[in-house]
């Protein structure tokens, strides 16, 4: 479980870093994330979303209370400098574990990273 969580967070971080550069695109970020995931498990089992994270520009943001899947979409190829975005990667643990223990069956593991477009 922890290895998968670490891989998801690392892939989200690297993807967000890739997406922060000028001329980046959502598809390039997703390709980068999936390439990193492929070193640990079947990347087709994972879902990658890239959303506008302008909500983090507020003064009193509680990251745990944000529903990341409902954030508005962002097109990184047209994003302005300073726009905040999030890369989120999710995979059902049952899809990547050889023998998931009964207490974690059905769990979804999530990794995410928030970054600004440069």
């Amino acid at each position: 479980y922890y290895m998968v969580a670490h891989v998801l967070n690392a892939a989200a971080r690297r993807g967000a870093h890739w997406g922060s550069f000028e001329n980046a695109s959502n598809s390039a970020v997703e390709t980068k994330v999936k390439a990193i995931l492929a070193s640990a498990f079947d990347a087709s089992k994972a879902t990658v979303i890239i959303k506008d994270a302008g909500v983090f520009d507020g003064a009193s943001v509680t990251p745990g209370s944000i529903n990341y899947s409902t954030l508005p979409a962002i097109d990184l190829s047209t994003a302005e400098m300073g726009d905040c975005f999030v890369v989120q990667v999710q995979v059902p643990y049952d899809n990547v574990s050889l023998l998931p223990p009964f207490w974690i069956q059905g769990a979804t593991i999530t990794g995410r990273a928030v970054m600004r477009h440069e």
Side-chain angles (χ1 to χ4, degrees):
Y1 177 89
Y2 289 110
M3 190 243 354
V4 174
H6 177 72
V7 169
L8 294 180
N9 280 312
R13 245 185 342 270
R14 292 285 308 218
H17 183 251
W18 190 265
S20 70
F21 297 116
E22 188 176 5
N23 299 322
S25 69
N26 292 31
S27 61
V29 169
E30 185 170 346
T31 300
K32 184 71 156 175
V33 168
K34 296 263 181 149
I36 294 166
L37 297 178
S39 67
F41 57 82
D42 181 0
S44 69
K45 305 288 185 185
T47 304
V48 179
I49 63 168
I50 302 162
K51 298 285 190 160
D52 183 332
V55 67
F56 282 96
D57 289 331
S60 59
V61 177
T62 306
S65 67
I66 297 171
N67 183 347
Y68 292 87
S69 59
T70 63
L71 292 175
I74 188 169
D75 182 356
L76 294 176
S77 64
T78 60
E80 298 290 325
M81 185 186 298
D83 285 353
C84 199
F85 66 96
V86 62
V87 175
Q88 178 175 285
V89 188
Q90 290 187 314
V91 66
Y93 187 61
D94 295 349
N95 289 349
V96 295
S97 173
L98 294 176
L99 296 167
F102 70 89
W103 63 84
I104 201 162
Q105 289 179 345
T108 298
I109 306 172
T110 302
R112 72 176 61 96
V114 177
M115 198 159 289
R116 290 200 181 275
H117 193 68
E118 297 178 0

